[in-house]
Amino acid sequence: IGLARAMVMEPELVVADEPISALDVSIRAQVLNLLKKFQREKQVTYLFIAHDLAMVKHISDNIGVMYLGKLVEISPAAELYEKPYHPYTQALLESIPIADPDLAKSRGRHFLTGDVPSPIDPPKGCRFCGRCSKCMDICREVRPELKEVSKGHQVACHLYDD
């Protein structure tokens, strides 16, 4: 209902925070298709906030990945799924279930260890360093800034410092 009310006003931008998370799977697909139709026909831009990575891939042209309130990666959608740079993005994508059990077994998966730090008192450096298998000394001390690693693809990770 909230999306319908927003779309009646013919906005240029819609901020949608988990807009289909509570919907049945068949209804979810219908709503997504309707949103894509509005995107094409009405040139609507969505700021789509979601945890369902398969759905994010379906609706998005560009994706920003956040960890504890900070952007860690920004990329065109197709490129992010093909070549994620940030260790957190890699872990997120590896967590997507695969329906084929044989394919799922053959895929390399790295499980995150450690606890999520307090968002009230985050670490001094990289917020992900306590859970990152690639953490270096600099990660604990200096917060990484977003930097372009390929055209339109930015990552906040010291692994990609020049």
Side-chain angles (χ1 to χ4, degrees):
I1 292 173
L3 282 171
R5 286 181 177 162
M7 299 314 290
V8 166
M9 301 304 296
E10 297 187 6
E12 293 178 16
L13 172 69
V14 173
V15 178
D17 188 357
E18 296 284 355
I20 61 173
S21 62
L23 300 177
D24 177 75
V25 175
S26 61
I27 301 298
R28 194 179 283 200
Q30 291 175 23
V31 171
L32 276 178
N33 289 334
L34 187 60
L35 289 173
K36 290 293 281 184
K37 180 180 177 186
F38 283 132
Q39 199 174 33
R40 276 190 316 276
E41 294 176 4
K42 305 284 187 183
Q43 300 298 306
V44 175
T45 299
Y46 300 113
L47 175 55
F48 208 85
I49 304 163
H51 290 89
D52 181 339
L53 297 174
M55 186 253 321
V56 168
K57 184 178 185 180
H58 178 73
I59 192 91
S60 302
D61 296 322
N62 293 290
I63 298 173
V65 177
M66 296 182 80
Y67 185 78
L68 281 182
K70 293 288 182 186
L71 281 165
V72 296
E73 192 157 1
I74 302 171
S75 174
E79 185 175 336
L80 184 83
Y81 285 83
E82 289 296 317
K83 185 162 183 165
Y85 284 92
H86 197 278
Y88 178 63
T89 307
Q90 293 167 1
L92 279 178
L93 294 178
E94 287 175 1
S95 73
I96 298 173
I98 297 176
D100 180 342
D102 294 328
L103 185 59
K105 285 180 191 175
S106 69
R107 157 172 98 165
R109 293 185 70 178
H110 303 92
F111 294 97
L112 294 179
T113 59
D115 294 324
V116 177
S118 167
I120 296 169
D121 186 25
K124 178 180 176 184
C126 176
R127 292 175 180 219
F128 189 61
C129 70
R131 303 185 75 198
C132 182
S133 64
K134 300 172 184 176
C135 182
M136 304 176 288
D137 289 340
I138 191 172
C139 301
R140 290 180 186 82
E141 298 298 322
V142 179
R143 181 163 293 142
E145 298 295 324
L146 282 168
K147 59 189 82 65
E148 192 164 69
V149 289
S150 66
K151 185 168 174 54
H153 197 147
Q154 299 176 45
V155 65
C157 183
H158 291 297
L159 290 171
Y160 306 98
D161 288 345
D162 294 337

